[in-house]
């Protein structure tokens, strides 16, 4: 570069990386991020400044400005897996991690991480044990099934059951139950990957007992009943209930697999929700195997449970795929602790966040919204008007799809045109603890159903960090 170039002297005024690193201002960054990342950040900021000067910029950042920019750059690289406030109104939001775990489950998982534990070790005999045994008895007790096993998630549970019972054989299923769940779980595809030959019976809206009976022969490996989790077929419809289907399958000597999806272990109508068959009822109806998720209505970590006939569970456990789909010790500990909460039904709703959130009344949520309206308004500044409004929460994850829960929201209305709703949503997502709401009807709605009252102060303090 030419010595006469005025940018050259500006370039020479830029501090060196080593100079910035030696400055006292940088100590907090070194403390949090370490030497390697902090050096990289400073180098990045100085390169940007150099490029700006070469483009004609005249302002030269001093050490404090470089450290500040480096801090911002490091902050922008913070974990994207950090906790957030789910104010979408969907309690079991698959994209936001579904169920929030109970304190007992969190404590159990933490202990399982910190210490060795008898994962596959029999403490009575001093020899080898089975990892499933820690929850087998609990699952039997809570569902009435003869035996139980568990895998990574319910999709894996269905895959494993189909593969065990119907590889190279027929799997009979109603055309009205060929579901697709979010995240590319499609029943025909899962059947194909399990090696089962799909035998569709009936029509989209009507399937009869005779349809199943005609379809079964010596090559049938399983009859499948699938909970239509996220849709309803209404109008001129007919389906064969699980109890009747169990009789038909038993008559043909074929096992019945009932995939419940979001199986519940308790009667939800006692908690103000619509009534759904419980896992215990599905077992009592005569299904040979019942599958359900750990992180839907059950309120635990991701898992897939298989309960049913002892001989079939044994065959499933012998399938080499079981080993590939097993759960780890951290989740197993959290699952066990979650299931134990169900042994004390009187205190379940206060201990299990999923049930606590689902059970909150509209009045309690509206009172919370009224309490937070002004503090939130003050933190948003003059650009927004904050109102308390009615809204409808959803259970989510395909559970009770037609059932909404009366709730209350803070509706953030842009007062002028200077800030768009999308811009506000972006600023809320950039907070130390991101706040996720829903834009409808010209406002950003924050459904407060999933904001624990104990977290209100934290929620407001977090808003103090809103970018101007
Ligand atoms: C949710 C669901 C699944 C998949 O369960 P995951 O735990 O998400 O793997 C399978 N079948 C039905 C009917 C479901 O609702």
């Amino acid at each position: 570069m030419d010595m006469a170039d005025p940018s050259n002297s500006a370039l020479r005024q830029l501090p060196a990386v080593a100079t910035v690193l030696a400055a006292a201002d940088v100590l907090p960054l070194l403390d949090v991020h370490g030497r390697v990342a902090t050096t990289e950040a400073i180098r990045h900021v100085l390169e940007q400044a150099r490029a700006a000067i070469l483009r004609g910029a005249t302002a030269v950042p001093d050490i404090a400005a470089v450290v500040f920019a480096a801090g911002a750059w490091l902050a922008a690289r913070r974990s994207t897996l950090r906790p957030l406030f789910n104010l979408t109104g969907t309690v079991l939001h698959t994209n936001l991690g579904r169920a929030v775990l109970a304190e007992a489950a969190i404590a159990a998982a933490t202990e399982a991480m910190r210490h060795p534990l008898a994962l596959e070790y029999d403490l009575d005999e001093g020899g080898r044990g089975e990892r499933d045994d820690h929850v087998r008895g609990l699952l039997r007790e809570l569902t009435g099934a003869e035996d139980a096993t568990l895998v990574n998630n319910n999709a894996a549970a269905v895959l494993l059951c189909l593969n065990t019972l119907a590889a190279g054989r027929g799997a009979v299923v109603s055309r009205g139950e060929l579901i697709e769940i979010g995240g590319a779980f499609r029943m025909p595809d899962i059947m194909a990957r399990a090696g089962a030959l799909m035998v569709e019976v009936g029509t989209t809206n009507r399937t009869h007992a005779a349809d199943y009976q005609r379809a079964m022969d010596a090559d049938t490996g399983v009859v499948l009943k699938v909970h239509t989790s996220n849709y309803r077929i209404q109008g001129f419809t007919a389906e064969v209930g699980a109890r009747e289907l169990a009789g038909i399958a038993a008559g043909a000597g074929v096992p019945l697999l009932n995939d419940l999806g979001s199986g519940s272990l308790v009667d939800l109508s006692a908690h103000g929700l619509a009534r759904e068959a419980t896992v215990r009822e599905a077992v009592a109806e005569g299904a040979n195997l019942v599958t359900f998720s750990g992180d839907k209505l059950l309120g635990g970590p991701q898992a897939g449970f298989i309960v049913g006939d002892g001989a079939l569970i044994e065959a499933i456990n012998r399938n080499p795929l079981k080993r590939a789909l097993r759960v780890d010790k951290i989740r197993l500990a959290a699952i066990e602790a979650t299931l134990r909460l169900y042994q004390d039904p009187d205190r379940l709703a206060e201990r299990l966040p999923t049930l606590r959130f689902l059970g909150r009344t509209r009045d309690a949520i509206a009172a919370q919204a009224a309490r937070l309206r002004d503090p939130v308004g003050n933190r948003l500044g003059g650009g927004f008007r904050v109102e308390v409004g009615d809204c409808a929460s959803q259970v989510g994850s395909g559970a009770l799809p037609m059932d909404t829960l009366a709730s209350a929201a803070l509706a953030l209305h842009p007062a002028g045109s200077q800030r768009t709703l999308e811009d506000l949503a972006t600023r809320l997502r950039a907070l130390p603890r991101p706040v996720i709401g829903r834009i409808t009807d010209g406002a950003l709605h924050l459904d407060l159903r999933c904001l624990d009252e104990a977290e209100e102060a934290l929620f407001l303090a977090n808003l103090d960090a809103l970018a101007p």
Side-chain angles (χ1 to χ4, degrees), residues 38-60:
T38 304
T39 307
E40 188 192 349
I42 293 168
R43 192 164 279 139
H44 171 82
V45 170
L46 289 173
E47 268 163 23
Q48 298 252 295
R50 196 169 291 121
I53 290 167
L54 290 175
R55 284 198 306 272
T58 51
V60 180

Side-chain angles (χ1 to χ4, degrees), residues 359-374:
R360 288 187 74 198
T361 64
R362 194 214 72 99
D363 288 353
I365 302 168
Q368 183 183 30
R371 207 158 54 231
L372 291 175
R373 194 186 79 147
D374 289 344

Side-chain angles (χ1 to χ4, degrees), residues 112-430:
M113 285 190 276
R114 193 170 279 136
H115 306 288
L117 73 175
L119 181 62
E120 294 182 349
Y121 186 79
D122 186 327
L123 287 173
D124 292 330
E125 306 288 330
R128 198 182 180 293
E130 290 291 332
R131 73 174 61 202
D132 287 4
D133 284 352
H134 302 287
V135 293
R136 210 168 183 167
L138 273 166
L139 285 166
R140 283 181 6 207
E141 176 188 321
L142 293 168
T143 67
E146 197 180 348
D147 205 352
T149 187
L150 76 167
V151 284
N152 179 57
N153 56 12
N154 190 38
V158 174
L159 176 77
L160 183 59
C161 289
L162 289 171
N163 181 260
T164 306
L165 300 178
R169 308 182 69 198
V172 175
V173 62
S174 162
R175 289 193 169 91
E177 298 177 1
L178 288 172
I179 58 164
E180 173 179 314
I181 313 277
F185 178 90
R186 306 179 102 189
M187 196 50 87
D189 298 341
I190 293 291
M191 284 192 171
R193 289 292 165 148
L197 312 170
M198 181 168 68
V199 180
E200 301 171 57
V201 299
T203 62
T204 304
N205 57 325
R206 289 172 71 83
T207 301
H208 307 281
D211 294 323
Y212 286 102
Q213 275 155 344
R214 262 198 305 275
M216 276 185 272
D217 58 27
D219 289 330
T220 307
V222 69
V223 178
L224 182 60
K225 178 132 193 86
V226 190
H227 192 283
T228 57
S229 298
N230 47 6
Y231 66 100
R232 286 283 178 275
I233 296 176
Q234 286 172 336
F236 185 55
T237 63
E239 73 167 310
V240 181
R243 188 179 294 280
E244 186 184 357
L245 192 52
I248 295 169
V254 174
L256 172 68
L257 165 60
N258 188 351
D259 175 23
L260 285 184
S262 182
S264 179
L265 294 176
V266 290
D267 180 359
L268 293 171
S269 59
H271 299 273
L273 295 166
R275 204 180 133 61
E276 275 273 287
T278 62
V279 178
R280 180 181 287 281
E281 284 161 355
V283 169
E285 282 169 347
N288 302 93
L289 291 174
V290 176
T291 56
F292 55 102
S293 285
D295 55 352
K296 293 185 180 174
L297 283 173
L298 198 144
Q302 180 185 301
F305 298 104
I306 308 170
V307 302
D309 296 356
L312 296 181
I313 297 289
E314 211 181 302
I316 285 167
N317 283 330
R318 277 197 311 268
N319 187 330
L321 266 182
K322 168 76 198 303
R323 171 65 177 77
L325 302 172
R326 75 183 184 187
V327 299
D328 66 282
K329 63 177 180 179
I330 304 167
R331 271 194 290 156
L332 194 60
I335 289 164
E336 191 206 1
T338 305
L339 292 176
R340 281 194 192 285
L341 297 180
Y342 281 89
Q343 292 180 308
D344 184 2
D346 298 343
R347 282 182 288 183
L348 184 63
E350 67 192 67
R351 289 172 167 178
L352 197 69
T354 298
L355 268 192
R356 191 167 70 232
F357 292 145
L358 290 174
R360 288 187 74 198
T361 64
R362 194 214 72 99
D363 288 353
I365 302 168
Q368 183 183 30
R371 207 158 54 231
L372 291 175
R373 194 186 79 147
D374 289 344
V376 168
N378 293 340
R379 284 162 175 85
L380 288 179
F384 289 89
R385 182 166 47 83
V386 181
E387 285 176 1
V388 175
D390 287 335
C391 67
S393 315
Q394 293 183 314
V395 179
S397 285
L400 312 175
M402 312 306 275
D403 210 40
T404 56
L405 309 167
S407 185
L410 289 174
L412 316 181
H413 296 268
S417 56
Q418 68 273 48
R419 282 220 192 282
T420 66
L421 284 173
E422 295 291 348
D423 181 40
L424 176 65
T426 304
R427 288 160 65 216
L428 290 175
R429 286 198 306 273

